[in-house]
Amino acid sequence: MTIAFVFPGQGAQTIGMGKALAEAYPVAKAVFDEVDAALGEALSQLIWEGDIETLTLTQNAQPALMATSLAAMRALEAGGVSIDKAAFVAGHSLGEYSALAAAGAISVADTARLLRTRGQAMQSAVPVGEGAMAAILGLDLEAVRAVAEEAAQGEVCQAANDNDPTQVVVSGAKAAVERAAEIAKEKGAKRAVMLPVSAPFHCALMQPAADVMAEALAGVAITSPAVPLIANVRADAVTDPDEIRKLLVEQVTGSVRWRESVQSMAAKGVTEFWEIGAGKALSGMIRKIDRNLTSRQVGTAEDVAAITAG
């Protein structure tokens, strides 16, 4: 059995995530403390006792989800399960940063600061209300690309997340995305759902944020990860620090090629995926990508205990 560790993206956040982990494992609590110190604020208090609207703000959700994933990773390590249990690491959008921190390529403190910067930059790249995203259900990537091209009409409209064979997300100017949702339904999509997001992620409108991240990443030490990263924009393995830096910048405007990333890991022999952190969205996608693959969630103290007890 060959395992990959995968790390969730935005949308998985819940109030209280990671709290039981922090109470059960001092090393997990230390991650939240380190993130709080890096950001100069009690983000952990917001995660555990705040309101979901504030936590869901991009600038908060991104470092919060990373902290929860890294807390679970440290708890696993305390129980004797190290990062090299995995053949590969990968993450969905911001989860790529969690994956790199878990694999030792970027420090937890630097990752927290990068994700705060990334969240702020992505939020401010497009005025609120001018961009949108929609999940197209029941059409494959090529069909959705054709829909986006037809809907653009001179505006930005792109396939942003290729999540699984049944779900592709489009992103861009609000009017264009709304047109895409209608066209998709005409072309046979089962549903087209406007997403409750505050900005149009992973499309050309995010170029100002990509510029900010290029500058931020230039000032951060990145080393080779302990295990290879399957990068979002390439759907293939990367270990070179300079290449990782470049791909993290490209990722801001580029598509999240999650379906292809999972297929790439499966082709390299991965049979089981451990979703490290909050939620189980990635596990659901993985099942739809390949029914022969198995997955398990590692996000609670009970999950960690079940693995490390064995």
Side-chain angles (χ1 to χ4, degrees), residues 133-304:
M133 299 179 78
I136 310 300
L137 309 179
L139 294 181
D140 65 15
L141 177 62
E142 289 310 313
V144 173
R145 280 179 172 159
V147 165
E149 188 175 341
E150 184 179 338
Q153 297 178 20
E155 295 182 296
V156 171
C157 188
Q158 294 170 237
N161 300 352
D162 179 17
N163 286 333
D164 64 47
T166 69
Q167 184 193 122
V168 181
V169 174
V170 293
S171 181
K174 186 170 185 283
V177 171
E178 289 171 343
R179 285 193 295 270
E182 292 307 311
I183 292 168
K185 286 185 272 193
E186 292 166 9
K187 302 278 188 186
K190 291 178 182 174
R191 290 174 68 204
V193 183
M194 299 299 291
L195 299 180
V197 294
S198 52
F201 306 130
H202 299 291
C203 75
L205 294 176
M206 288 287 112
Q207 187 57 48
D211 295 340
V212 169
M213 290 313 296
E215 186 174 342
L217 284 157
V220 168
I222 301 178
T223 59
S224 294
V227 298
L229 171 79
I230 302 295
N232 279 191
V233 296
R234 185 173 291 173
D236 205 355
V238 58
T239 57
D240 177 71
D242 290 335
E243 193 68 14
I244 288 169
R245 201 185 309 271
K246 174 173 165 281
L247 294 174
L248 287 174
V249 176
E250 288 181 17
Q251 188 223 56
V252 179
T253 55
S255 296
V256 176
R257 295 167 61 185
W258 187 251
R259 176 183 58 85
E260 292 174 89
S261 295
V262 171
Q263 291 172 333
S264 173
M265 287 182 272
K268 291 172 169 61
V270 172
T271 55
E272 183 169 328
F273 291 79
W274 291 14
E275 185 167 3
I276 313 288
K280 52 186 178 183
L282 300 184
S283 298
M285 293 176 196
I286 289 162
R287 274 194 301 277
K288 290 175 181 170
I289 293 165
D290 188 339
R291 293 281 177 188
N292 296 315
L293 301 173
T294 59
S295 58
R296 68 189 300 173
Q297 286 78 52
V298 188
T300 67
E302 290 80 9
D303 294 338
V304 173

